[in-house]
Amino acid sequence: MTEEQGQNYSPLAFIWGHLFASFSAPDIDLTGRTALVTGGNGGLGYAAVLHFARCNASRIIIASRSLTRCQAAAQKVYEDVPSYRGVVDVMELDLSSFANTIKFCQDLNADKGRLDIIVANAGIQPKPETFKQTGDGYEETLQVNGLATALMGVLLLPKLEETAGREVPAGSKGMKPTLSIVASEVHYWSKFPQANAPGSLIDALNDPAQFVDFNERYQVSKVLSVFIGRELAKLPAVTSGKVLVNSVNPGMCQSAIRDNMGPVIAWIFNAIAWSAEKGARNFLYSSTQPTMPGAFIHHCRETPVSTFVVSPKGRETQEKYWKECLDIFRKLGVDSELDRAL
Ligand SMILES: NC(=O)c1ccc[n+]([C@@H]2O[C@H](COP(=O)([O-])OP(=O)(O)OC[C@H]3O[C@@H](n4cnc5c(N)ncnc54)[C@H](OP(=O)(O)O)[C@@H]3O)[C@@H](O)[C@H]2O)c1
C-alpha cells in the first residue's frame, strides 16, 4: 500500500485557485432521491438546496436552529427554481445541544422515507476573541462543527445504509447514499497547537487558556471536519460499500459566516468571495459522485488533505479525537443507536 500524500496549500495557491478555478455542477437527475442539508436556510446550505432542486430531488429537508428561517427558505425554493415540483420539508436542529441533535436524528430515523444525501453543512466561526461554551459545557465551535456533527454522522449512517437497500432511482443509478461533511481549505493552515497538549485532546480544546484566537479555532474545527469524514469512512456502512462518506471544501463564498467579524470585514470578504452557488457546486459533486471513502473534495475533485492530517502526529490526533468523541457519545444514552453504527 502506498503512503498517503498530503499537500501544503499556500496563501498564493489559494489566491490563484480563487481567481482561476473553474468547475461546473455535475449534471444529474435526482428524481426519487431525498437530500438533507443542515444549515440549509442561508449561505452555502441554501445554495446547495437550490442545486438539489434544479436536479429534481424529490424531497429536500432543510434543518437548522430556526424553523421560521427554514420555512422561509423552503418557500423561496419554489420562487428561485420555478420548475421544481418536489417537496421541501423543514426540521429543527441545534448542533450546540446534544439532546436536540439526538432528537433530530431519532426523528429522521423514525421517518418512513428514504435518505440519500446528507450535506452536513451547518457550522459556525467563533466571534473574535470570544470563548463561549454551550449548555453541554463545550466550546461552541468544538461542539457545533466537531462533536455534534460527528454524533449526527454516526447516528444517521444506519439510515443511509437502510436507504442503500431500497430501489435505486433510474436517473442516478450508480449513486450511493452519501454523507458529505463540510470542511474548508483553511484546514491546510491550522497549526493545531492543542495536538501537543498532554492528556485529553477535547479537554485541551475546551480549555479557555488553549483557545488561541477565533481564527485558529475555526481552522482547528475544520481539521476536525476532515477527521470526522475520515473516521466515519472506516465504519461498516461505508467499508461494506453501501454508503459513502467524504469531506468537502466549498471555497471562500458569500455567506453570513463572517458577520461575527463586524460589518466592514464581512462586507470586504463578501465582495471578493465566490457566489454561494459556485461554492455549493462542490456539495453537489461530493454528495452525488463516486469519490473514494474519506476523500476531501476541493474545486469539484478529490484533493490531498493537509500534510498535518496524514503525518504521524495528525493520524495520532485523529484517532485520539475519535476515541474521545465516542467516549462522550457513550455517556449520552444512545448506546443502542451507537452499536448499530459502530
Ligand atoms: N462561506 C465560506 O467562505 C466558507 C468557506 C469554507 C467552508 N465554509 C463552511 O460552510 C458551511 C456553511 O457556512 P456558510 O458560510 O454558508 O455560513 P452561514 O451563512 O453562516 O450559514 C450557517 C448555517 O448554519 C446554521 N447553523 C448555525 N449554527 C447552527 C447550529 N448550532 N445548529 C444547526 N444549524 C446551525 C445556520 O442556520 P440558523 O442560524 O437558522 O441555525 C445557517 O443556516 C460551514 O460549515 C462553514 O464552515 C464556509
Coordinates of all heavy atoms in Angstrom, one line a residue, residues 39-45 64-66 69 93-96 121-124 144 182-184 218 222 249-253 255-258, ligand 1:
G39 N -28.2 23.5 8.1 CA -27.9 24.9 7.8 C -28.3 25.3 6.4 O -27.6 26.0 5.8
G40 N -29.4 24.7 6.0 CA -29.8 24.9 4.6 C -30.7 26.1 4.4 O -31.2 26.3 3.3
N41 N -30.8 27.0 5.4 CA -31.7 28.1 5.2 C -31.0 29.4 4.7 O -31.6 30.4 4.4 CB -32.5 28.4 6.5 CG -31.5 28.8 7.7 OD1 -30.4 29.2 7.4 ND2 -32.0 28.6 8.9
G42 N -29.7 29.3 4.6 CA -29.0 30.5 4.1 C -27.6 30.1 3.6 O -27.2 28.9 3.7
G43 N -26.9 31.1 3.0 CA -25.5 30.9 2.6 C -25.3 29.7 1.7 O -26.1 29.4 0.8
L44 N -24.2 29.0 2.0 CA -23.9 27.8 1.1 C -25.0 26.7 1.2 O -25.2 26.0 0.2 CB -22.6 27.2 1.6 CG -21.4 28.1 1.1 CD1 -20.2 27.9 2.0 CD2 -21.0 27.7 -0.3
G45 N -25.6 26.5 2.4 CA -26.6 25.5 2.5 C -27.7 25.7 1.6 O -28.2 24.8 1.0
S64 N -32.2 23.6 10.7 CA -31.3 24.5 11.4 C -32.0 24.8 12.7 O -33.0 24.3 13.0 CB -31.1 25.8 10.6 OG -32.1 26.7 10.9
R65 N -31.3 25.8 13.4 CA -31.9 26.1 14.8 C -33.3 26.8 14.6 O -34.1 26.7 15.6 CB -30.9 27.1 15.5 CG -29.6 26.5 15.9 CD -28.7 27.6 16.4 NE -28.4 28.5 15.3 CZ -27.4 29.5 15.3 NH1 -26.8 29.6 16.5 NH2 -27.2 30.3 14.3
S66 N -33.5 27.5 13.5 CA -34.7 28.3 13.4 C -35.7 27.7 12.4 O -35.4 27.8 11.2 CB -34.3 29.7 13.0 OG -35.5 30.4 12.5
R69 N -36.8 30.4 9.9 CA -35.9 30.7 8.8 C -35.9 29.5 7.8 O -35.8 29.7 6.6 CB -34.5 30.9 9.3 CG -34.3 32.3 10.0 CD -32.8 32.6 10.2 NE -32.1 31.8 11.2 CZ -32.1 32.2 12.5 NH1 -32.7 33.3 12.9 NH2 -31.5 31.4 13.4
L93 N -32.9 21.7 14.2 CA -31.6 21.0 14.6 C -30.8 22.1 15.2 O -30.4 23.1 14.6 CB -30.9 20.4 13.3 CG -29.5 20.0 13.6 CD1 -29.4 18.8 14.5 CD2 -28.8 19.7 12.3
D94 N -30.4 21.8 16.5 CA -29.4 22.7 17.1 C -28.2 21.9 17.5 O -28.2 21.2 18.5 CB -30.1 23.4 18.3 CG -29.1 24.4 19.0 OD1 -27.9 24.5 18.5 OD2 -29.5 25.1 19.9
L95 N -27.2 22.1 16.7 CA -25.9 21.3 17.0 C -25.2 21.7 18.3 O -24.3 21.0 18.7 CB -25.0 21.3 15.8 CG -25.5 20.7 14.5 CD1 -24.8 21.2 13.3 CD2 -25.4 19.2 14.6
S96 N -25.6 22.8 18.9 CA -25.0 23.2 20.1 C -25.6 22.5 21.3 O -25.2 22.7 22.4 CB -25.0 24.7 20.3 OG -26.3 25.1 20.5
N121 N -23.6 20.7 6.6 CA -23.1 22.0 6.2 C -23.1 23.0 7.4 O -22.3 23.9 7.5 CB -23.9 22.5 5.0 CG -23.8 24.0 4.9 OD1 -22.9 24.5 4.3 ND2 -24.9 24.7 5.3
A122 N -24.1 22.8 8.3 CA -24.2 23.8 9.4 C -22.9 23.9 10.1 O -22.3 22.9 10.5 CB -25.3 23.3 10.4
G123 N -22.5 25.1 10.3 CA -21.2 25.4 11.0 C -21.1 26.8 11.4 O -21.8 27.7 10.9
I124 N -20.2 27.1 12.4 CA -20.0 28.5 12.8 C -18.6 28.8 12.9 O -17.7 28.0 12.9 CB -20.6 28.7 14.2 CG1 -20.0 27.7 15.2 CG2 -22.1 28.6 14.2 CD1 -20.3 28.1 16.7
V144 N -20.4 22.5 17.8 CA -21.2 22.5 16.6 C -20.5 21.9 15.4 O -21.0 21.0 14.8 CB -21.6 24.0 16.3 CG1 -22.2 24.1 15.0 CG2 -22.5 24.6 17.4
V182 N -19.0 19.2 5.6 CA -18.4 20.4 5.0 C -17.2 20.9 5.9 O -17.4 21.2 7.0 CB -19.5 21.5 4.9 CG1 -18.9 22.8 4.4 CG2 -20.6 21.1 4.0
A183 N -16.1 20.8 5.2 CA -14.8 21.2 5.9 C -14.4 22.6 5.2 O -15.3 23.4 4.9 CB -13.8 20.1 5.6
S184 N -13.1 22.8 5.0 CA -12.7 24.0 4.4 C -11.2 23.9 4.0 O -10.5 23.1 4.6 CB -12.8 25.2 5.4 OG -12.2 26.3 4.9
Y218 N -11.3 28.3 14.4 CA -12.1 27.9 13.2 C -11.3 26.9 12.3 O -11.8 25.9 11.9 CB -12.5 29.1 12.4 CG -13.3 28.8 11.2 CD1 -14.6 28.3 11.3 CD2 -12.8 29.1 9.9 CE1 -15.4 28.0 10.1 CE2 -13.6 28.8 8.8 CZ -14.8 28.2 8.9 OH -15.6 27.9 7.8
K222 N -12.1 22.9 11.4 CA -12.2 22.4 10.0 C -11.2 21.2 9.8 O -11.5 20.4 8.9 CB -12.0 23.5 9.0 CG -13.2 24.4 9.0 CD -14.5 23.8 8.6 CE -15.8 24.3 9.1 NZ -17.0 23.6 8.7
N249 N -14.7 21.0 0.6 CA -14.4 22.4 0.7 C -15.2 23.2 -0.3 O -15.0 23.0 -1.5 CB -12.9 22.7 0.5 CG -12.6 24.1 0.4 OD1 -13.1 25.0 1.1 ND2 -11.7 24.5 -0.6
P250 N -16.0 24.2 0.1 CA -16.7 25.0 -0.9 C -15.9 26.1 -1.5 O -16.2 26.6 -2.6 CB -17.9 25.6 -0.1 CG -17.4 25.7 1.3 CD -16.4 24.5 1.5
G251 N -14.8 26.5 -0.8 CA -14.1 27.7 -1.3 C -14.6 28.9 -0.5 O -15.7 28.8 0.2
M252 N -13.9 30.0 -0.6 CA -14.4 31.2 0.1 C -15.6 31.8 -0.6 O -15.5 32.2 -1.8 CB -13.3 32.2 0.2 CG -13.6 33.4 1.0 SD -12.3 34.6 1.2 CE -12.1 35.3 -0.4
C253 N -16.7 31.8 0.1 CA -18.0 32.1 -0.6 C -18.8 33.2 0.2 O -18.6 33.3 1.4 CB -18.9 30.9 -0.8 SG -18.1 29.6 -1.8
S255 N -21.6 34.6 2.3 CA -22.5 34.0 3.3 C -22.5 34.9 4.5 O -21.9 35.9 4.5 CB -22.0 32.6 3.7 OG -21.0 32.7 4.6
A256 N -23.2 34.4 5.5 CA -23.3 35.2 6.8 C -22.2 34.8 7.8 O -22.2 35.3 8.9 CB -24.7 35.0 7.4
I257 N -21.3 33.9 7.4 CA -20.5 33.3 8.4 C -19.5 34.3 9.0 O -19.1 34.1 10.2 CB -19.7 32.0 7.9 CG1 -19.2 31.2 9.0 CG2 -18.6 32.4 6.9 CD1 -18.9 29.7 8.7
R258 N -19.2 35.3 8.3 CA -18.2 36.3 8.8 C -18.9 37.5 9.4 O -18.2 38.5 9.7 CB -17.2 36.7 7.7 CG -16.4 35.5 7.2 CD -15.5 35.9 6.1 NE -15.0 34.7 5.5 CZ -15.6 34.1 4.5 NH1 -16.7 34.6 4.0 NH2 -15.2 32.9 4.0
Ligands
LIG1 N1 -18.6 30.8 3.4 C1 -17.3 30.4 3.3 O1 -16.5 31.1 2.7 C2 -16.9 29.0 3.7 C3 -15.7 28.5 3.3 C4 -15.3 27.2 3.7 C5 -16.2 26.5 4.5 N2 -17.4 27.0 4.9 C6 -18.3 26.2 5.7 O2 -19.6 26.1 5.0 C7 -20.6 25.9 6.0 C8 -21.7 26.8 5.8 O3 -21.3 28.1 6.1 P1 -21.9 29.5 5.4 O4 -20.7 30.2 5.0 O5 -23.0 29.2 4.5 O6 -22.4 30.2 6.8 P2 -23.8 30.8 7.2 O7 -24.3 31.7 6.1 O8 -23.5 31.5 8.5 O9 -24.8 29.6 7.4 C9 -24.6 28.8 8.5 C10 -25.9 27.9 8.6 O10 -25.7 27.0 9.7 C11 -26.9 27.1 10.6 N3 -26.4 26.9 12.0 C12 -25.6 27.7 12.7 N4 -25.4 27.3 13.9 C13 -26.2 26.1 14.0 C14 -26.4 25.2 15.0 N5 -25.9 25.3 16.2 N6 -27.2 24.1 14.7 C15 -27.7 24.0 13.5 N7 -27.5 24.8 12.5 C16 -26.8 25.9 12.7 C17 -27.5 28.5 10.3 O11 -28.9 28.5 10.5 P3 -29.6 29.0 11.8 O12 -29.0 30.3 12.2 O13 -31.0 29.1 11.5 O14 -29.3 27.9 12.8 C18 -27.1 28.7 8.8 O15 -28.1 28.1 8.0 C19 -19.9 26.0 7.3 O16 -19.6 24.7 7.8 C20 -18.6 26.7 7.0 O17 -17.6 26.4 8.0 C21 -17.8 28.3 4.5

